[in-house]
Amino acid sequence: MIQKVLVANRGEIARRVFATCRALGIATVAVHSDADADAPFVRDADAAVRLPGNAPGETYLRGDLVIAAAQASGADAIHPGYGFLSENADFAAAVRDAGLVWIGPDPEAIEAMGSKVRSKELMAAAGGPVAGMLEPEAMTTSDLPLVVKASSGGGGRGMRVVRDLDALPAAMEQAAAEAGSAFGDTTVFVEHYLEHARHIEVQVMADSHGTCWVLGDRDCSLQRRHQKVVEEAPAPGLSDATRTALHDAARSLVKQVGYTGAGTVEFLVEERDEHGQSVEERDEQSALISFLEMNTRLQVEHPVTEAVTGLDLVALQIAVAEGRALQEVAGMSEPPAPRGHAIEVRLYAEDAADDFSPQTGTVRSFDLPGSVARFTGPSAYGLRLDSGVEAGSEVGIHYDAMLAKVIAYGPDRASAIRTLRGALGRTRLHGVTTNLDLLHGILGAPEFAAGKLSTLLLEERIDDWSAPRADASAIADYATAAALAAAVAAAESAPVLSRIPAGFRNVASQPHTASYVVRGEEVSVAYASVVGRLTPQAADSDDDAVVPVASVVTADRVVLERDGVARAYAVARDGASIDVDGPAGPLDLTVVPRFTDPADQVVAGSLLAPMPGSVISVGVEQGQAVSQGDVVVVLEAMKMQHTITAPTDGVVTELAVSAGSQVESGAVLAVIEGTDEGETA
């Protein structure tokens, strides 16, 4: 029996494994980089071991240091979580060679499935559905669109969609470079890209006694940059024949490989033919199913399977690693049939409206109101939150941008959607830009409600779904609430003024004004004290401007009325940052200073970093002439590479970075002076 588990990971998955270990009476050990020294997962563990450095390559990817930490802390087992070393066969073997228990499949199975090329060969040998790989030299335009994939790894890294044959060589080169950086393997291959396919995966759990349980399926079709955003179980709308074919193929692969432990077999399912006819409208057996890969670890989206089966997959992983039989541990001879419906959304620190650029900062507050289970399935229909951050957590550039997973479990799909959307609507999250509005928009979309899903859908609807919940009128009300609350707080904090109504002046004057930056735009509002009561005013010369009525004003709560409808706003302040929660969700405002430091002015023509990250390469030199679209800098942020190009023809008059530089969002990378007089970037 395992007594102490070291989790070779970080963030929410480390906390998730620790939660099950505590329930089982197993002691826990965390390993952490310097950047994660104060992270919540470190506090959750019974003991912690520092891995000096920040970058994954010098910390969480150093298997030798992780094994040494396990030995030093007295751990007798290692759980890899997902990502990092979780699918590294050499690491799994080294763990066993060190006399420790590896909570995962055999190294041989990891190695066999670690290569997408090899795994396709094994699926074919098992009689499963496999799409053939294409030879780049023999392709024609009739093969388009294509997709370039890395043989190792996943998460969208080392993957490029190609719609023009001339772009294929560059796509293969870029995919290989990204794969080499992320996984240490530059092998890539090319296959047909199924435009309207759904991404369906099958959860398996196998023990060393020959038992393989198929624990249902999940739909993971809504993705950005080939990374999942929304997952649900069971996969909605599949015909019985298609579902059975998927489960049988997954089970056959498990037996072909001799797999043990938790794993996920992933497929693309094309439900429409060339005439746009759905699977349900034609022969059920004619769905196009193509095997993608097998992930030899726990998946990010495992909570939705736990919700509908009632099983703890981490507990089953531990039991299988101890050599126990699934039937014995679960107390049942067959796997439970799915009950109800569960949906998970991934909450990322990213700007969905700006090509999903990763964001950094300090999480000032994070609260999901209501009764919420944490890191374990709800005891009844309801909500679950698996989060790697709390108020005060720093979100940096070194790791994945995911902050948390919010899961809703209901008796049916419609109930789960409503529960989850309502929870996201009440979520209070401030300090970093997130995809919260996008998730709220997805769950409210008719296409999602109807289950009409595909891997291309999010890209097609991103503009509509990522639209902020707060429009210009709502933002003005948020800013008004912030200004009124700040006026009360200022009066209360000043001894002389604490007995004088906020905003009071003994000489008639113009209204007070306050200005804030919201989503990069400046917003100004006005207020005055009328008979000792703070009252919103028009912020411009338009006397007919409609302004709300303030019925309640305190330092942290403001109620504004429009057309007889009262809406409450909660206000919190942290220096120049004002956090307001209202009917359109959370909104971050920054106070505009009355005077601007000249040093803060940006030179015209400056090319700014769209996100914090590391400079991988610089493609220009100072004084060089460039054309629009030329590569200036390649940044790496949160495991993804981002190419910064020249926005116009011109000359590089200043180059502020070099390869290896660390930059913050908004930092000047280069200055490009336009070739035409007066033209700049």
Side-chain angles (χ1 to χ4, degrees), residues 360-367 389-395 403 428-433 517 572-581 586-591:
T360 60
T362 301
V363 178
R364 292 192 293 271
S365 62
F366 183 21
D367 179 40
V389 302
E390 297 173 346
S393 294
E394 290 287 337
V395 180
L403 303 177
R428 297 178 176 179
L429 176 55
H430 296 279
V432 291
T433 300
V517 173
R573 288 165 297 280
D574 183 2
S577 299
I578 311 294
D579 301 334
V580 184
D581 292 282
L587 198 65
D588 292 4
L589 299 83
T590 302
V591 177

Side-chain angles (χ1 to χ4, degrees), residues 271-583:
E271 297 184 299
R272 291 188 289 179
D273 61 16
E274 65 274 15
H275 304 295
Q277 196 175 33
S278 69
V279 168
E280 292 77 6
E281 295 168 341
R282 62 182 200 259
D283 180 4
E284 287 187 338
Q285 297 288 352
S286 63
L288 174 60
I289 300 174
S290 175
F291 168 69
L292 273 175
E293 63 180 332
M294 183 177 186
N295 289 310
T296 55
R297 53 170 168 79
L298 199 65
Q299 290 281 90
V300 177
E301 57 271 21
H302 75 275
V304 294
T305 296
E306 292 186 326
V308 299
T309 62
L311 298 173
D312 183 328
L313 297 187
V314 174
L316 293 183
Q317 282 187 296
I318 292 172
V320 168
E322 292 175 328
R324 301 165 68 188
L326 287 173
Q327 293 96 330
E328 170 198 346
V329 178
M332 57 186 74
S333 59
E334 298 292 334
R339 176 178 174 270
H341 200 91
I343 304 176
E344 170 184 295
V345 293
R346 301 190 190 187
L347 190 57
Y348 285 100
E350 64 185 16
D351 188 348
D354 184 23
D355 196 26
F356 299 103
S357 60
Q359 304 291 304
T360 60
T362 301
V363 178
R364 292 192 293 271
S365 62
F366 183 21
D367 179 40
L368 183 64
S371 178
V372 182
R374 296 179 183 271
F375 305 106
T376 186
S379 57
Y381 298 131
L383 294 168
R384 167 176 171 174
L385 176 65
D386 286 16
S387 173
V389 302
E390 297 173 346
S393 294
E394 290 287 337
V395 180
I397 66 172
H398 300 290
Y399 314 116
D400 187 82
M402 190 173 73
L403 303 177
K405 304 178 305 196
V406 185
I407 304 98
Y409 175 46
D412 51 54
R413 188 169 185 267
S415 299
I417 292 174
R418 183 170 61 185
T419 298
L420 185 53
R421 191 165 192 258
L424 296 180
R426 297 189 301 274
T427 295
R428 297 178 176 179
L429 176 55
H430 296 279
V432 291
T433 300
T434 72
N435 65 336
L436 186 60
D437 282 351
L438 170 64
L439 299 176
H440 192 268
I442 290 172
L443 294 172
E447 299 97 324
F448 185 78
K452 297 184 181 300
L453 310 174
S454 78
T455 55
L456 200 61
L457 184 59
L458 181 54
E459 179 183 335
E460 294 173 341
R461 297 300 312 279
I462 183 62
D463 290 340
D464 293 334
W465 291 353
S466 63
R469 280 179 282 168
D471 59 16
S473 176
I475 290 174
D477 285 354
Y478 275 72
T480 298
L484 297 180
V488 172
E492 291 178 347
S493 64
V496 175
L497 299 177
S498 60
R499 293 183 297 276
I500 302 175
F504 173 80
R505 291 185 178 183
N506 59 2
V507 177
S509 180
Q510 295 295 316
H512 294 267
T513 60
S515 296
Y516 304 95
V517 173
V518 184
R519 301 191 186 120
E521 301 290 336
E522 186 169 325
V523 178
S524 296
V525 293
Y527 62 93
S529 179
V530 179
V531 195
R533 181 176 179 177
L534 285 173
T535 303
Q537 303 286 304
D540 52 36
S541 59
D542 184 0
D543 295 332
D544 296 327
V546 178
V547 295
V549 176
S551 57
V552 175
V553 180
T554 69
D556 56 12
R557 184 173 185 268
V558 175
V559 177
L560 301 178
E561 293 185 6
R562 281 184 181 274
D563 300 324
V565 179
R567 295 178 174 87
Y569 300 82
V571 183
R573 288 165 297 280
D574 183 2
S577 299
I578 311 294
D579 301 334
V580 184
D581 292 282

